[in-house]
Amino acid sequence: MPEVPRRSSAPEANRAASPPAPVRVELPDLGIDVAVRPVGVDSGGGMELFDDPSLAAWYRWGPAPGSGAGSTVIAAHVDSLEYDVLPFARLKDAAPGTAVIVTDAAGTRHTYAVESLEVVEKTAVDWDAAFDRSGSPRLTLVTCGGAFDYDARTYLSNVVAIAVPT
């Protein structure tokens, strides 16, 4: 993943209180129900992901569910050699209108509906839009997909679902 926006350098005292962090993401119609934990950036400047593929990652320096603007980004692995196919593998089947529920640390359930879904070559993903902190509130779900490069041991594309609050 390319470099993602980092935390603002503004003093903590000058910032408004942030909404609670997400702790769970569900797409009930697809059987996706995954715990979510906060992450930052990895050593290469991209969004971190957990070695434990049963966890989804929320980019903590961006908006949280309930924020007044911007894209809440949650990403997870699609599969693993050790754990086989994982729940986010079914994200590719999220048709427009598919319900998404994100529960935050305060227990509030934020409901969304998938607006769009694309399988995009990794080099062509619009990461600026995915990590945008402005505009209408929305949820961006990301996993790997498309063809798999067995020599490089990586997927060549990302599945990117955009969901809007309902």
Side-chain angles (χ1 to χ4, degrees):
M1 218 176 259
E3 278 201 31
V4 295
R6 289 185 167 74
R7 185 177 187 180
S8 168
S9 60
E12 295 293 325
N14 294 333
R15 282 197 216 144
S18 297
V23 296
R24 182 177 179 188
V25 61
E26 303 169 75
L27 286 82
D29 292 347
L30 300 178
I32 297 173
D33 186 349
V34 181
V36 177
R37 301 292 180 266
V39 297
V41 295
D42 62 23
S43 61
M47 181 177 165
E48 290 177 300
L49 287 178
F50 292 100
D51 289 335
D52 179 349
S54 68
L55 295 173
W58 163 62
Y59 185 62
R60 68 175 160 204
W61 304 134
S67 293
S71 175
T72 299
V73 179
I74 297 177
H77 292 289
V78 67
D79 62 17
S80 116
L81 291 174
E82 183 178 343
Y83 295 93
D84 203 22
V85 176
L86 299 164
F88 260 50
R90 294 185 289 277
L91 183 62
K92 68 179 175 28
D93 299 323
T98 300
V100 183
I101 303 162
V102 179
T103 304
D104 69 26
T108 302
R109 292 168 55 89
H110 303 269
T111 58
Y112 299 84
V114 172
E115 184 175 71
S116 66
L117 180 111
E118 291 184 289
V119 178
V120 183
E121 287 185 30
K122 288 188 179 203
T123 57
V125 174
D126 185 350
W127 294 114
D128 289 336
F131 289 93
D132 183 21
R133 295 178 185 173
S134 63
S136 301
R138 60 207 176 277
L139 174 67
T140 302
L141 301 173
V142 181
T143 194
C144 290
F148 188 78
D149 180 335
Y150 286 92
D151 292 332
R153 299 178 54 105
T154 189
Y155 283 91
L156 301 177
S157 299
N158 284 111
V159 176
V160 181
I162 307 297
V164 294
T166 58

